[in-house]
Amino acid sequence: MALPSNFFSTQAVLVVDDIDTIRSAIKGMLQMLGCKEISVASNGDRAVELCEITKFDFILCDFNLGKGKDGYQLFEELKLRDLLKSNTVFILISAETALQVIHGIVELQPDDYLLKPFSYKTLEARLVRSLEKRKVLGGIYDALAVRNYKKALAECGKAGKEHQKYALPIMRLKGEVLLNLKQPKIALDLYNSILAHRDFSWAKLGKAIAFYHLEDYTESAALLTELCELPETRIEALNWLSSIYAQRECYSQAKDILVESVKLSPKNIPRQRALANLSLLEGDWEIAQRCFKTVLDNTRHSVHENINHHFNYIHCLLDRAKAGSELQQAKVFSQVQATLKSASLRFSKEQFYELEKIVSARMAIMRGALKSASENLTDCNAEIVIECGRDSALTLAKAWLELGNSDKYEEILALISFPEDDNSIEVMSDLLLINKVKDHNKEQIAKLLSLNEQGIKLYRSGLYPASTSVFLEAYEIMPNNTQLSLNLAQSMTKGWPVSVEFSKKKRIAKLCINVIESQPLDDMSKKRYSSFEQELKAI
């Protein structure tokens, strides 16, 4: 590609590296090319500040930037915040040859990747090559930047006629555009026409994705399984294959595939979140906790940093601790407090205080301090919690259910919404997890109501030991429900089943008293409780 002799003198260039000597060396090479407008940044935060002021033509960025953001996080943030021009050439530089780094960089699709050390001639050749490609595909990138897929499709047609040299990357972009336009059948025909001439792995991947959107999961899975063996398509093929297994409710297989995917590219936050969700579906608390911790650590300094990541990790710790001993719970509470302190220093106080109330309520429930838990949840602003996201809304709903209030649980659950037409594994895993929680709790609530009704009939028939036995079974499902505790308490003052250890009676009586007296009672319930309160406390 022939460039005007003064071309580079008109280009704005940013060099990002944490080592002074390397910044100076790269700047020297750029000056040899004729560059005059050269900015430098020693870290990711400074680079973002400069990009907020100037839309650079070229950015040369080292992968490892010391403390703070790395090159991966910087490029991701610049893309997501639209701080790059559609024709900006972004080149990542690194001495790293580890596969995890390479896979992560490839996923982000920078214009090029330079391995240190490199020469002035190599830098010049890469810049010219990237620039030529950007110039040819510029109209397509411009349309994609504003998600105008119809215009992008038209630009693909125009570029294809004028630049035969770039026919393959143009067809590759065209296939992606057709999928975004929800035209998988036309995309499939395009990929088949390409594959008829040459066996490109990217075309096979596009074909597999087209089959997925056509809901032909068998054909899609067969292609994806084959593509998992190729380094250039392995990560994306694993992701789509995981989605297929998740769609088929084969959660264990979906989870195992994602485990492989995150090993290859651990910095991908949505995928870590999806793996955490699938692990929760499977009851694999260890992997879920590890994923939430990875997300928490890797989003520091990242555009993905979010208050929910702190609280997802906290609630996973609490879920695991529910079945533990008091000593184990005390250790977890200490971890929770440390994570809360970190979150309090980093995020909006308004959001933090509302989410903290849910955590305080759940810990209070585990300690048996139900009055305190009730006060925290009652005082919690549900609107702010729901604005924080689906994760926070779900934990608020679950906290109300743990307190025995199924009406509030269903009220909050009904307010959780999902974006339309989002096929990402993260959103899908969110939906699957919430639906599983809904289905499981719906069954439990239905069983509870049935047992409660059965217990009432037995009590009214004077069969007190039998009614107590049924109420005990219901109590195991929802031990903190006020009305159920009233029913059980009243029944056990009349009779205790011979099949249940008598030593359990005293403990259950204490628990029932705690539940009944932790929340305000209506007049009828007060009158009823007073009629057997002394007998209950005498137990």
Side-chain angles (χ1 to χ4, degrees):
M1 179 182 181
L3 294 172
S5 58
N6 66 340
F7 174 80
F8 283 107
S9 67
T10 64
Q11 303 298 292
V13 186
L14 172 64
V15 178
V16 190
D17 200 295
D18 62 321
I19 301 174
D20 292 344
T21 52
I22 294 177
R23 283 200 307 275
S24 297
I26 295 173
K27 185 176 179 180
M29 291 182 192
L30 291 168
Q31 286 171 333
M32 289 172 66
L33 282 170
C35 295
K36 293 181 180 178
E37 191 182 335
I38 305 171
S39 300
V40 294
S42 61
N43 57 62
D45 288 334
R46 178 58 181 156
V48 170
E49 289 173 7
L50 291 170
C51 288
E52 288 172 339
I53 299 167
T54 304
K55 289 293 180 78
F56 291 97
D57 299 294
F58 294 91
I59 298 177
L60 306 175
C61 178
D62 190 40
F63 184 82
N64 292 309
L65 296 173
K67 292 181 179 179
K69 298 183 206 304
D70 59 26
Y72 182 104
Q73 292 171 326
L74 173 61
F75 185 34
E76 193 174 36
E77 179 166 349
L78 295 179
K79 285 171 70 177
L80 290 174
R81 290 183 56 195
D82 292 326
L83 294 176
L84 299 174
K85 296 191 293 186
S86 61
N87 63 344
T88 297
V89 172
F90 192 104
I91 295 179
L92 271 168
I93 300 168
S94 180
E96 291 275 2
T97 56
L99 281 178
Q100 285 188 344
V101 174
I102 303 297
H103 282 306
I105 290 171
V106 168
E107 273 203 283
L108 279 180
Q109 297 181 352
D111 293 280
D112 214 329
Y113 173 58
L114 268 174
L115 200 60
K116 293 178 182 177
F118 54 87
S119 67
Y120 153 75
K121 284 292 182 185
T122 301
L123 177 61
E124 181 182 29
R126 295 294 184 88
L127 289 176
V128 171
R129 184 176 74 180
S130 299
L131 190 67
E132 182 180 23
K133 187 176 177 183
R134 279 279 173 178
K135 185 176 179 182
V136 171
L137 305 178
I140 306 171
Y141 287 134
D142 285 342
L144 289 174
V146 293
R147 294 180 174 80
N148 187 339
Y149 298 118
K150 287 185 178 179
K151 185 178 180 183
L153 188 61
E155 290 291 337
C156 285
K158 181 181 173 184
K161 290 176 184 177
E162 297 175 0
H163 303 280
Q164 286 298 312
K165 179 182 174 182
Y166 285 91
L168 285 175
I170 291 167
M171 283 193 286
R172 186 172 184 172
L173 284 169
K174 184 178 179 180
E176 293 173 10
V177 169
L178 286 167
L179 291 172
N180 277 303
L181 283 169
K182 298 181 178 56
Q183 296 179 15
K185 181 65 177 69
I186 300 174
L188 182 61
D189 292 340
L190 172 68
Y191 290 125
N192 279 330
S193 69
I194 295 166
L195 291 166
H197 293 90
R198 191 168 169 184
D199 196 27
F200 290 108
S201 56
W202 59 264
K204 273 189 174 179
L205 180 62
K207 183 176 177 178
I209 296 168
F211 274 130
Y212 178 92
H213 288 298
L214 289 166
E215 297 184 8
D216 189 340
Y217 299 131
T218 302
E219 286 290 340
S220 183
L223 280 169
L224 292 168
T225 301
E226 182 184 334
L227 291 165
C228 285
E229 301 303 315
L230 303 176
E232 67 269 25
T233 53
R234 182 165 172 74
I235 289 180
E236 202 166 352
L238 285 168
N239 293 342
W240 285 101
L241 197 57
S242 177
S243 294
I244 289 174
Y245 279 112
Q247 287 275 21
R248 292 173 168 175
E249 298 185 3
C250 300
Y251 305 131
S252 182
Q253 291 93 327
K255 183 191 75 174
D256 290 345
I257 290 168
L258 273 187
V259 167
E260 289 304 309
S261 185
V262 299
K263 283 179 185 176
L264 291 168
S265 183
K267 283 185 175 290
N268 186 294
I269 301 306
R271 195 176 303 129
Q272 289 277 5
R273 284 267 297 102
L275 178 55
N277 283 339
L278 290 175
S279 299
L280 291 177
L281 279 165
E282 282 286 287
D284 191 335
W285 298 104
E286 185 177 345
I287 289 182
Q289 183 177 324
R290 189 164 67 236
C291 287
F292 284 131
K293 186 66 167 67
T294 300
V295 168
L296 184 58
D297 292 340
N298 283 356
T299 51
R300 184 84 185 265
H301 313 296
S302 158
V303 70
H304 292 292
E305 189 169 32
N306 187 295
I307 194 168
N308 274 325
H309 299 324
H310 283 74
F311 283 91
N312 283 340
Y313 177 59
I314 285 170
H315 289 295
C316 187
L317 288 173
L318 293 177
D319 284 335
R320 285 194 78 181
K322 280 197 292 187
S325 66
E326 284 188 24
L327 180 60
Q328 289 170 326
Q329 287 180 2
K331 289 179 180 178
V332 167
F333 291 167
S334 179
Q335 286 178 272
V336 166
Q337 292 300 337
T339 310
L340 283 173
K341 184 178 180 180
S342 173
S344 70
L345 299 172
R346 305 176 65 78
F347 300 102
S348 153
K349 297 298 182 189
E350 182 183 49
Q351 289 183 333
F352 173 79
Y353 288 136
E354 298 309 318
L355 298 181
E356 184 187 33
K357 289 172 189 173
I358 304 172
V359 175
S360 298
R362 293 197 68 200
M363 290 196 294
I365 290 168
M366 290 168 70
R367 290 194 299 260
L370 301 183
K371 187 173 182 180
S372 173
S374 177
E375 288 170 353
N376 271 294
L377 290 183
T378 302
D379 190 45
C380 189
N381 188 321
E383 287 185 11
I384 293 175
V385 172
I386 290 163
E387 283 172 8
C388 289
R390 294 186 294 272
D391 299 337
S392 298
L394 181 61
T395 53
L396 175 58
K398 287 165 64 178
W400 273 115
L401 194 63
E402 288 173 357
L403 194 59
N405 193 325
S406 58
D407 291 338
K408 290 293 291 184
Y409 157 79
E410 290 176 353
E411 178 188 319
I412 301 298
L413 212 57
L415 298 173
I416 301 175
S417 60
F418 283 84
E420 294 180 8
D421 302 322
D422 191 330
N423 292 304
S424 68
I425 186 66
E426 180 186 19
V427 171
M428 185 194 300
S429 67
D430 274 349
L431 180 60
L432 289 170
L433 180 61
I434 288 174
N435 283 342
K436 182 173 182 181
V437 169
K438 280 182 179 178
D439 292 343
H440 172 74
N441 289 330
K442 185 178 180 181
E443 288 177 11
Q444 292 294 90
I445 291 168
K447 184 179 178 182
L448 174 77
L449 293 173
S450 175
L451 287 168
N452 191 53
E453 187 177 339
Q454 184 184 343
I456 290 170
K457 286 180 181 178
L458 290 167
Y459 182 86
R460 287 173 178 169
S461 300
L463 302 172
Y464 303 126
S467 65
T468 301
S469 181
V470 172
F471 285 133
L472 281 170
E473 189 178 347
Y475 180 81
E476 292 297 321
I477 298 171
M478 196 178 292
N480 295 323
N481 181 274
T482 307
Q483 289 304 314
L484 178 59
S485 293
L486 276 167
N487 291 345
L488 173 57
Q490 187 171 14
S491 182
M492 68 188 291
T493 61
K494 299 286 188 180
W496 186 258
V498 293
S499 59
V500 181
E501 293 177 9
F502 193 78
S503 59
K504 190 176 180 180
K505 187 176 182 181
K506 182 177 180 180
R507 183 175 66 83
I508 294 295
K510 281 184 177 180
L511 292 171
C512 285
I513 291 166
N514 186 30
V515 173
I516 295 165
E517 296 185 354
S518 68
Q519 298 186 55
L521 299 175
D522 58 44
D523 291 340
M524 186 178 294
S525 297
K526 280 181 186 175
K527 185 177 180 181
R528 181 179 163 204
Y529 181 45
S530 65
S531 70
F532 64 84
E533 181 180 359
Q534 295 305 315
E535 293 174 74
L536 179 66
K537 290 182 175 178
I539 294 174

